[in-house]
Amino acid sequence: MKLFEDLPPMDHLRSEDMSLVQIIIPVESAHRAVSYLGELGLLQLKDVRNPNPVDLIVFAFDSHRGSCSVFWLVTPATKMETKRFLLNEDKSPFQRTFVNQVKRCGEMSRKLRFFGDQISKAGITASPCPASQQVIDLEELEVRSSEHEAELLEMNANSEKLRQTYNELLEFKLVLLKAGGFLVAAQNHAVPPETELVENIYSKKDDESVFLLEQSVQPESSSKAGLRFISGIICKSKELTFERMLFRATRGNMFFNQAPAGEQVMDPVSGEMVEKTVFVVFFSGEQAKNKILKICQAFGASCYPVPEENSKQMQLTREVSLRLSDLEATLDAGNRHRNKALASIASQLWNWIIMVKKEKGVYDTLNMLNFDVTKKCLVGEGWCPTFAKPQIKEALEHATIHSNSQVGIIFHDMDSFESPPTYFRTNRFTHAFQEIVDAYGVARYQEANPAVYSVITFPFLFAVMFGDWGHGLCLLLGSLILILHEKKLGSQKLGSFMEMAFGGRYVVLLMALFSIYCGLIYNEFFSVPFHIFGTSAYKCRDSSCSDAHTTGLIKYRDPYPFGVDPRWRGSRSELPFLNSVKMKMSILLGVSQMNLGILLSYFDAKFHGSSLDIRYQFMPQMIFLNSLFGYLALLIVIKWCTGSQADLYHVMIYMFLEPTGDLGENQLFWGQKELQILLLLMAIVAVPWMLFPKPFILRKLHTERFQGRTYGILGTSEMDLDHDPDSARRQHHEDFNFSEVFVHQMIHSIEFVLGAVSNTASYLRLWALSLAHSELSTVFYEKLLLLAWGYDSVIIRIAGLAVFAFATAFILLMMETLSAFLHALRLHWVEFMGKFYHGDGYKFKPFSFKLLADEEN
Amino acid sequence: MGFLMTTIIFFVVGVVASVLVRLCCNRGPSTNLYVIASIPTLSWLLGVSWAFGKGLCSKFSIHSFLRMEIHGILYLIFWFHLTLIITATICSWMMWAIVYLAQLKPLIVPILSEGE
């Protein structure tokens, strides 16, 4: 076994080695250092606003030599002072500087978001061309963005005002046009005063005829009779209620005339184009006038004065039209000017947003650091992968050089009792699989990573449930399209569904490849079998094939070399045979995967040097699972190899019910009864073996370790044991709660024992889904395609083909894919990972500009 | 016999695929070691499988080869791409073997339906 210990560790199996580091940055290089660290993206800083400084660094600046020497100083006295000082962060003006910077960045990003909104509202899409992107400073950006914002706000306000005026004038014009018509008609009708005024609804044609008529008639001014009018415009929807209200308010002493305005006008309240109606209300008396005006106000009707004389009306209409065209021109010019300004912003906007985000990130990070009592440097703690330490050191050196700082940045390891974050270096292929595993739980630090095996077993189990090489080819095509257009699709913004599909393109590729393989094994191409690997192993008993439909064919040679014999498809005994095969296959695959899971728990225990776990957890678990279900798997293989007619259900059940009973015709091999008794005893022994010893041994170990501690420690007044949770000298005196540990172990054992049965049965979903897929596929093929093909008409054939394609694409390719994906996922998460995985770690989230840019996307 | 032959074919395909993958994607440390170790290993494996397939007992001393090559093989095993290839080979082989064994001595035969 020494051979195994010399070997390099497998990458991806366990998290990268992480170290807790402390960095001490002098003020002048702080911003630059953090920016460079952001570019590198390999350090996750902790928020150390209130640290408990264990070690204190003192800078000793030697003025004679112009150099700086650093030495460690651990002085309890100064530590207390520092702690007290650092806790009073409100008093520090230095800290406040960064808060202001963060606020500045927040304000700038608000302005940039405002620009983005305006640009999208105006419908401008400017792709950023790299040539025109200038590199500008943050201060310059601040100034420019405030200028732009003021300019845009002013332009918006102006155009708003102009638009309002335009709308009013438009309404006035409409009122003039329509109301003028009423008034003329009213004057016409007023010639015989006794005649009742009749409501008329005018069309444009009538208007023209009215104008012609009025030249011959000398109208009497209707105002001489004390009759006055109010003209205005109101929303069409409110018109009826308005009229009724007016009628009631004036007790019927009014005459209401209305006509549709003809064109849509923008409603000032809602900003939408609405249908409006022009109205004229004839009334007499001052009180009536007031009432009418109030009602107009309440209903939001705008009243416009229309002169009675026709000539004045015409003149007014002309003036209004002129003004309207002027306003239109002004509005257009204003819009063009604004769009030009927005376009110039749009080309730079993305760059600016990223820059502001980066700066904000840098200042947020600087806020996470804390400062030393000398107020000359910032102290921070963080996690970084051990392999990245040289790179980080180099980046910090560059920062020192570029900021012309006299003092170098200190970067050193620290001890920690906290569990480090988990970091797996994934590439674009393994990233999706790692995400799938992390969705269940992020691996504990240095725990075995199931993603290593899931890369293959997950698509494989999917394929067992999906097995059809025709459908597999379709999936392959889809995944290849996504992979070949990787660069283009990666830079675009995709919808949520497309993004998921694109993110999982390599998963789909593997799923497709395995589906093709399993399809060849099941011998299904859109449910049609092929004779790719030679002729069938079955033939008729005699040349007339008379009893082929009653007693069936016979097997005359070796089994079909690869996959299911094509003769099975369509036969009456197909389902009994395939069901039996697939159920047994599910059990075999399930037992294998669960054994792999338990084996991984062994490797974990070995890595962490926990022989307790190996002896009292791994071994009884292996024995229990394999003496029951491993034995079942063995029986299955023996039954297949010998062709025995033994009933395996009977064997398994009576192994428990009647272990000493005679097996009779269910005997598969010599010594089976004795072996079964032995296995049963081993399984029974394994249960208390995994339940009892571990808690007792843990208690014994704990008492041995902390034997002397109950006497108490002679501590000095300077050693603050209770108040230094992060101190490297902390004593781990945790109480050992035996009942808690015992209950935990009991739950774990019961879960395993009951889970052994239920998890094995759970793998039968491999059979269930593959049966469903096969049957659906058969139904679509036989009842859609073959049926349509049976007709001579081309139209019916094409229609049948189209429906078949549609059904295959949506039901089989989408729904079944998702379904098989989900079930394969469940099998991994529960049945496989439940055997060894804890998944209670946390992910490594470094401060990285690249991640910020991705977030913005 | 067909079962054994096909099993060996799976094995050989797995080995070939693993060698090819490492030659194509040599990003890991001490790749040269793997390449160097793989060539005699591969020839050894091919030799053994040829001899086995012919039903002959291998006469040359594999024991000495074993000592030299097993270390090389184990270096091969503990690399990520190799794990993938091995897992894939084992899964594919299991699938094939299960379906093959199930058809070895079947208890029922195809009974054709009326339409055929």
Side-chain angles (χ1 to χ4, degrees), chain A residues 648-676:
Chain A
L648 293 182
Y649 286 121
H650 192 275
V651 169
M652 284 306 289
I653 291 170
Y654 278 83
M655 181 171 148
F656 287 87
L657 292 182
E658 237 184 286
T660 51
D662 191 26
L663 286 163
E665 59 193 20
N666 289 328
Q667 178 117 8
L668 281 160
F669 54 88
W670 176 84
Q672 187 177 349
K673 187 168 83 168
E674 287 76 24
L675 178 67
Q676 279 183 195

Side-chain angles (χ1 to χ4, degrees), chain A residues 566-636:
Chain A
R567 276 313 206 120
W568 284 105
R569 161 70 53 193
S571 65
R572 278 192 302 175
S573 51
E574 178 195 4
L575 276 182
F577 172 70
L578 279 183
N579 283 350
S580 159
V581 172
K582 286 184 178 174
M583 282 169 100
K584 296 187 168 110
M585 168 193 78
S586 311
I587 299 288
L588 289 171
L589 292 177
V591 170
S592 316
Q593 194 175 35
M594 287 195 286
N595 270 313
L596 177 65
I598 303 178
L599 206 62
L600 282 177
S601 80
Y602 165 75
F603 283 117
D604 256 347
K606 192 157 139 359
F607 181 84
H608 291 110
S610 166
S611 65
L612 192 72
D613 273 344
I614 297 175
R615 268 185 254 135
Y616 301 105
Q617 203 152 295
F618 163 72
M619 283 181 67
Q621 282 182 352
M622 269 304 231
I623 289 172
F624 184 82
L625 188 70
N626 286 314
S627 61
L628 296 179
F629 298 100
Y631 176 62
L632 174 62
L634 181 70
L635 285 179
I636 290 172

Side-chain angles (χ1 to χ4, degrees), chain A residues 3 7-8 10-11 430 452-453 455-456 460 517 521-522 538 548-553 555 559 561-565 568 570-573 577 581 585 588-589 592 640-645, chain B residues 2 6 10 27 34 70-71 74-75 77-81 83-85 87-88 91-116:
Chain A
L3 224 50
L7 295 164
M10 180 157 63
D11 29 314
T430 50
V452 165
Y453 296 98
V455 171
I456 295 294
F460 174 68
Y517 179 79
I521 295 255
Y522 291 154
Y538 294 92
H549 301 274
T550 44
T551 35
L553 310 170
K555 184 168 173 289
F562 191 86
V564 173
D565 200 297
W568 284 105
S571 65
R572 278 192 302 175
S573 51
F577 172 70
V581 172
M585 168 193 78
L588 289 171
L589 292 177
S592 316
W640 278 342
C641 289
T642 57
S644 154
Q645 298 219 347
Chain B
T6 320
F10 268 99
R27 262 181 296 125
Y34 300 154
I70 196 129
H71 206 252
L74 292 172
Y75 260 104
I77 293 172
F78 286 82
W79 198 40
F80 178 63
H81 289 93
T83 312
L84 297 186
I85 299 285
T87 317
C91 288
S92 321
W93 173 81
M94 266 182 71
M95 194 67 194
W96 168 83
I98 287 169
V99 170
Y100 186 89
L101 287 178
Q103 294 181 102
L104 204 56
K105 291 184 172 145
L107 296 173
I108 52 177
V109 288
I111 300 171
L112 302 181
S113 58
E114 301 306 315
E116 286 180 69

